[in-house]
Amino acid sequence: MKKRLFLTLFLIFLAALGVWSFLIKGQYFIGQNYFDSHDIANEQEYFLQGLKEYVLDPVDFEKAESAIQVNDDEIMYYREYYGSLEKQLANIQAQYESAVTGEETVTETETTQEEKTAEVAEEKTDTAPATSEAQRLQQERDQKLAEVRRNFESDEVVKEKILAIKKQALAKYKVEYEQRARQFKEQYSYFTYRLTNEAGEVYEKKSPEKVAHRIQFKKGDELYTEGHRTIYLNDYIADGAGIRNTYIDVSSEEQLFTGEVSLLKSAMDETGFAESYNIFTLQKWVLYTLWIISLVAISLLATILKPSRELFSAVPELEVKFHRLPLDMRLVIPMITGLLAYSFIESFPYRIESQAYFIYRSEYYLNFEEIVLFLFGFAFTAVAIVTAVWVYDAVKREGLSAENSIFIRLVEATREAFLNKSIGQQTVAMFIVFFLAGLGFAGVLLQPALLLIYAPLFMFVLLPVLSVYIKRMGYLNRVMQKTEDMAAGRLTTAIEVKGKSPIAKHAENLNALRQGVELSMRERAKSERLKTELITNVSHDLRTPLTSIITYTDLLKNPDLPEEERMKYVDILDKKSARLKTLIEDLFEVSKMASGNIEILKQRVDLAQMLQQTVVEHEEDFTAAGLDLRVTIHEQPIYAYVDGQKWWRVVDNLLVNARKYSLEGTRVYVSLRVVAGVAELAVKNIAKYELGGNVEELTERFKRADTSRHTEGSGLGLAIAQSIVDLHGGSLVIDVDGDLFKVIVKVNIG
């Protein structure tokens, strides 16, 4: 299966090479020969252009000379090229002034057209030999002054001078033109021709050699000459001559030629045509071979192999690994490899051309580089096809899911980087600074002069930013080390908070977390201790009445027990059973309240009246206990939405707790008032027992001020009261000042 897949992909690759090469090069090689190629066509075009310019329609220089014209603008431009008449006369006077007086030699300043045409002027003027150098210079000056004046006095004088300059330039052009004509005839000696114009004039060049190629010009497809030519003389006139419009229009009639132009066979042997002809032939047969192979490959694919979807699953382990990649990577792989494969296939026809050239010139058939490129081209094509099929099949079966794509991850990571805007902005800023620093360093390497700009920026921008970055990283490492210590349970010292950076803020948060962990650990230790005490206290409180019940039950089993004793034991059993029942009921009730599995039915209740009724019920008990109960109700009525039965339990438990644990002969103060919209119930008494420091623990279950547990309390009174108050959204606070015990209960009124 794998071999079949490999063969299929290789045939597809060969078919792609052949089809693409045919599309690009087919029109140049199918049914074409060398003489239809660009090389020979360009060479023929160059020859025909030269033939028209130098043979069929050469320049008529007599007509060109007669076509030279001078207009008024040219005359004015020549005349004033060096300024006005006064300026030119003054310049000439200045040039000769010192020489004429015999002081110094002539100093060159500005030159005029007269100096350019001095030889012409000397030929036209008969000058007697000067008796001295000063007289000669004075005579020369006068001639120039006279010449300038004539320029401004007569247009004909100026016109003659311009004509003389243009004719001289045309003569130079003629010499160069004739030289180019000779070079053309020598260069294209391997071309012959026989052409006839409409007037019957024959232009012919014969040769006894055999002809390799002919170009026919028939009626309707004649070779023609334009019949109009412009000769530009700019390059043949010296600068500063004061001439413009330096071109000549030479008009002639357009001519049509019929006949033929032939390329001699010797050109294929003795010139560069031989090499290009052989290379063209080699390219042609290589491409023909490739196209035949491509047709065979397409035929095999269509008739025998017939690729199917199952064929591309011949390597299931690779396909499974491929589908584990992120979505964008699965899409990018066929795209990138496809582009690389296309670049190789697209360049293949041109590589055939270059290889044909090297094979012909160097006599080698294929080099190692081409083999490697061919293998890479096949590999890229194979990977592109297989992965594209896998992606298409996955999309068709499951659709597109970008959840695990690298792009989505990057977007999410970028968004998370800016959850703290300060960190995101600082990261971007440092990235830009470091990027520009690297770019600047590369620029300095390429252009050392940029160091003058880069050095100050390096000192005052990059180094401070780098310093801040290193300090922040060091601080972050210290914070991370402390965090590891915290994670390991080593809550030794707090993390140092430095500055106001995001890392410093993170250190503050970690310190707060550390404090929370320490508090949690203390609470946990406290909870474990209280749990142990709870088990101990429950065991003690339940075992005491239970032991009595068991003991007196055994005593009652004695048949000889007197009736009086029996009744006494029964009474004790009744009290102990009631005691045990009360403990169990209180424990069950406080457990339900702590777990939240209890319902409260709130009603509008007068708290003042409830307190009064409860106090009346306990007055005799307080008197019997030797306590003076003082009740103060500041306002009446005081309404609140509470569960009446359960709130009565709160008040009752507080009064019972005060009665049981108050020192005999002392006063118990109970007060009810409204403070800032809240009903406040306070119970104050002098404790009978030493309370110790942890008064908050008195609201825990089975916690009693009587640590020796000689009293009859269950230790659940304050715990039940605390739970009921919590269920009503109120608060119960215990405060101890020496032996003064105070409980304050608050609940919203309404």
Side-chain angles (χ1 to χ4, degrees):
M1 193 72 171
K2 293 182 179 179
K3 293 181 179 178
R4 186 180 179 187
L5 175 61
F6 180 86
L7 178 60
T8 300
L9 293 172
F10 186 71
L11 292 178
I12 292 175
F13 178 62
L14 292 178
L17 290 178
V19 170
W20 181 259
S21 300
F22 180 80
L23 294 175
I24 298 300
K25 294 294 183 180
Q27 58 181 327
Y28 302 113
F29 290 94
I30 299 292
Q32 304 292 325
N33 58 40
Y34 172 71
F35 298 103
D36 298 320
S37 66
H38 288 294
D39 292 340
I40 193 67
N42 291 336
E43 197 71 12
Q44 290 172 171
E45 184 64 27
Y46 294 146
F47 172 75
L48 293 177
Q49 290 293 335
L51 184 65
K52 290 189 288 184
E53 182 175 0
Y54 301 115
V55 178
L56 302 181
D57 187 22
V59 176
D60 187 343
F61 283 96
E62 292 183 1
K63 183 183 290 187
E65 184 173 344
S66 63
I68 297 175
Q69 297 179 357
V70 178
N71 56 37
D72 294 340
D73 290 338
E74 289 182 273
I75 294 173
M76 185 64 67
Y77 183 80
Y78 179 90
R79 177 181 288 157
E80 296 182 353
Y81 187 77
Y82 287 102
S84 63
L85 174 62
E86 293 76 10
K87 183 177 180 181
Q88 293 188 40
L89 294 176
N91 288 338
I92 294 173
Q93 291 285 2
Q95 291 176 13
Y96 288 93
E97 182 176 357
S98 59
V100 171
T101 57
E103 295 177 358
E104 295 180 359
T105 59
V106 177
T107 303
E108 290 289 338
T109 56
E110 293 186 9
T111 58
T112 65
Q113 294 93 333
E114 279 58 50
E115 292 171 319
K116 300 289 183 181
T117 57
E119 295 180 359
V120 177
E122 290 177 358
E123 292 176 359
K124 293 183 178 181
T125 306
D126 294 331
T127 305
T131 57
S132 66
E133 181 65 17
Q135 290 177 343
R136 186 190 68 77
L137 291 175
Q138 184 177 7
Q139 186 178 8
E140 182 179 305
R141 179 200 63 188
D142 294 341
Q143 289 177 353
K144 290 183 178 181
L145 291 174
E147 195 69 28
V148 170
R149 291 189 181 94
R150 283 197 297 271
N151 288 343
F152 280 87
E153 292 172 355
S154 173
D155 291 346
E156 289 299 324
V157 171
V158 177
K159 183 177 181 179
E160 289 296 326
K161 292 180 180 180
I162 296 174
L163 285 173
I165 294 173
K166 287 187 176 184
K167 288 178 180 179
Q168 186 178 6
L170 181 61
K172 293 179 181 179
Y173 174 81
K174 180 180 179 181
V175 172
E176 184 177 302
Y177 175 85
E178 291 173 347
Q179 183 180 358
R180 290 201 306 268
R182 287 192 299 272
Q183 290 175 350
F184 164 75
K185 293 175 182 178
E186 292 172 0
Q187 181 178 353
Y188 293 96
S189 60
Y190 45 82
F191 277 100
T192 62
Y193 52 87
R194 179 180 173 80
L195 298 169
T196 305
N197 62 13
E198 294 173 310
E201 296 175 334
V202 178
Y203 296 81
E204 183 177 20
K205 176 187 174 185
K206 296 180 180 181
S207 175
E209 297 181 23
K210 293 183 179 180
V211 175
H213 178 64
R214 287 185 172 87
I215 308 172
Q216 299 289 338
F217 297 98
K218 301 178 181 179
K219 286 291 185 180
D221 188 23
E222 296 93 344
L223 178 67
Y224 69 93
T225 58
E226 296 179 354
H228 179 81
R229 182 174 299 171
T230 300
I231 299 175
Y232 294 94
L233 302 177
N234 303 57
D235 297 335
Y236 307 98
I237 297 177
D239 294 336
I243 304 297
R244 65 180 182 181
N245 296 334
T246 55
Y247 61 88
I248 303 173
D249 288 327
V250 183
S251 60
S252 61
E253 295 182 359
E254 180 179 331
Q255 297 185 74
L256 299 177
F257 294 86
T258 56
E260 66 179 26
V261 174
S262 303
L263 177 64
L264 299 178
K265 193 173 183 305
S266 60
M268 308 306 297
D269 300 325
E270 301 172 1
T271 66
F273 285 119
E275 180 180 78
S276 59
Y277 172 77
N278 291 325
I279 292 174
F280 176 87
T281 304
L282 181 59
Q283 291 176 2
K284 183 176 181 178
W285 288 112
V286 169
L287 288 173
Y288 276 17
T289 304
L290 175 63
W291 294 338
I292 293 172
I293 294 174
S294 177
L295 286 174
V296 173
I298 294 173
S299 300
L300 291 174
L301 290 170
T303 58
I304 299 177
L305 294 176
K306 295 181 179 180
S308 62
R309 172 63 186 90
E310 291 72 19
L311 179 64
F312 294 96
S313 298
V315 281
E317 60 279 4
L318 289 180
E319 185 174 2
V320 171
K321 292 180 179 179
F322 177 78
H323 286 301
R324 289 176 182 171
L325 296 173
L327 174 65
D328 37 16
M329 286 192 65
R330 284 184 283 159
L331 294 176
V332 165
I333 287 175
M335 290 174 60
I336 297 298
T337 53
L339 288 174
L340 292 173
Y342 170 76
S343 66
F344 175 82
I345 294 173
E346 188 271 338
S347 65
F348 189 73
Y350 306 101
R351 301 191 70 83
I352 290 178
E353 287 187 359
S354 61
Q355 285 304 304
Y357 174 81
F358 286 118
I359 289 173
Y360 179 80
R361 293 294 299 270
S362 306
E363 296 183 356
Y364 68 80
Y365 294 97
L366 205 60
N367 59 15
F368 180 74
E369 178 186 355
E370 291 300 321
I371 296 175
V372 171
L373 285 175
F374 184 85
L375 294 177
F376 271 110
F378 168 64
F380 291 139
T381 303
V383 173
I385 293 173
V386 173
T387 55
V389 172
W390 288 348
V391 169
Y392 173 78
D393 186 64
V395 171
K396 186 178 180 181
R397 184 177 63 251
E398 303 171 1
L400 292 174
S401 177
E403 294 180 358
N404 68 333
S405 68
I406 295 177
F407 178 76
I408 295 299
R409 294 177 190 173
L410 183 60
V411 171
E412 184 65 21
T414 303
R415 187 185 66 82
E416 291 176 353
F418 281 89
L419 289 177
N420 187 312
K421 291 184 179 180
S422 177
I423 292 179
Q425 292 170 356
Q426 291 179 22
T427 301
V428 172
M430 284 192 290
F431 175 79
I432 292 173
V433 169
F434 292 150
F435 174 77
L436 293 178
L439 193 64
F441 182 74
V444 169
L445 292 179
L446 296 174
Q447 188 64 40
L450 293 176
L451 184 63
L452 296 175
I453 301 175
Y454 185 75
L457 294 176
F458 181 86
M459 292 293 297
F460 299 107
V461 177
L462 178 60
L463 284 184
V465 171
L466 186 61
S467 175
V468 171
Y469 175 76
I470 293 175
K471 289 180 180 178
R472 293 281 175 86
M473 289 301 101
Y475 185 33
L476 178 61
N477 286 332
R478 292 197 300 273
V479 171
M480 292 174 65
Q481 186 176 7
K482 286 288 186 180
T483 306
E484 291 179 1
D485 293 341
M486 291 173 59
R490 297 189 293 271
L491 306 177
T492 53
T493 58
I495 302 173
E496 181 184 6
V497 179
K498 296 175 61 177
K500 297 182 179 180
S501 67
I503 301 177
K505 181 64 177 177
H506 181 60
E508 289 182 2
N509 295 335
L510 289 175
N511 285 335
L513 179 62
R514 171 181 169 277
Q515 294 175 357
V517 171
E518 287 182 335
L519 179 60
S520 176
M521 293 176 67
R522 288 197 298 268
E523 291 293 332
R524 182 178 178 182
K526 176 183 175 182
S527 176
E528 292 293 331
R529 179 173 57 81
L530 291 176
K531 186 186 297 182
T532 303
E533 291 182 3
L534 172 63
I535 295 172
T536 303
N537 294 339
V538 169
S539 300
H540 181 274
D541 287 347
L542 293 178
R543 186 175 66 247
T544 300
L546 184 60
T547 301
S548 299
I549 291 173
I550 294 172
T551 301
Y552 286 104
T553 300
D554 289 339
L555 292 174
L556 287 173
K557 292 179 182 179
N558 186 0
D560 299 329
L561 188 66
E563 188 64 27
E564 183 178 351
E565 289 290 328
R566 185 182 301 278
M567 293 304 296
K568 181 179 178 181
Y569 293 163
V570 169
D571 183 58
I572 293 173
L573 285 174
D574 182 60
K575 290 181 180 179
K576 296 300 181 182
S577 298
R579 167 71 176 157
L580 185 60
K581 178 184 177 183
T582 300
L583 284 172
I584 293 174
E585 287 179 348
D586 287 350
L587 178 60
F588 180 70
E589 185 173 1
V590 77
S591 298
K592 286 204 310 181
M593 290 182 181
S595 63
N597 295 326
I598 188 171
E599 294 183 0
I600 57 174
L601 301 174
K602 290 185 178 182
Q603 296 177 339
R604 197 166 184 263
V605 177
D606 185 355
L607 300 182
Q609 184 180 3
M610 179 183 291
L611 178 60
Q612 287 176 341
Q613 292 174 355
T614 308
V615 168
V616 170
E617 293 175 3
H618 289 278
E619 265 186 322
E620 293 182 1
D621 295 332
F622 274 90
T623 302
L627 299 173
D628 185 7
L629 182 60
R630 302 291 181 89
V631 180
T632 303
I633 300 176
H634 294 270
E635 299 178 20
Q636 286 192 357
I638 300 176
Y639 291 102
Y641 283 93
V642 296
D643 187 321
Q645 182 180 0
K646 291 182 175 57
W647 197 259
W648 175 86
R649 183 70 181 275
V650 173
V651 179
D652 183 73
N653 283 4
L654 293 179
L655 292 177
V656 170
N657 186 76
R659 176 176 61 79
K660 288 181 179 180
Y661 299 107
S662 294
L663 183 65
E664 293 84 353
T666 59
R667 298 183 182 88
V668 177
Y669 295 93
V670 179
S671 65
L672 179 63
R673 61 177 181 170
V674 177
V675 180
V678 176
E680 181 180 283
L681 172 65
V683 179
K684 305 174 186 178
N685 63 287
I686 302 299
K688 182 187 300 186
Y689 306 99
E690 186 176 352
L691 297 175
N694 296 326
V695 294
E696 294 85 358
E697 296 181 6
L698 292 175
T699 57
E700 298 293 333
R701 288 166 288 177
F702 289 92
K703 195 72 177 179
R704 295 160 65 179
D706 177 15
T707 56
S708 62
R709 312 191 75 80
H710 293 307
T711 58
E712 295 182 356
S714 65
L716 296 173
L718 289 179
I720 292 173
Q722 176 75 68
S723 298
I724 294 174
V725 171
D726 290 341
L727 290 172
H728 284 81
S731 65
L732 186 150
V733 179
I734 297 176
D735 186 22
V736 174
D737 187 3
D739 291 332
L740 177 63
F741 182 82
K742 180 168 63 174
V743 180
I744 299 176
V745 178
K746 295 180 180 180
V747 67
N748 293 328
I749 63 174

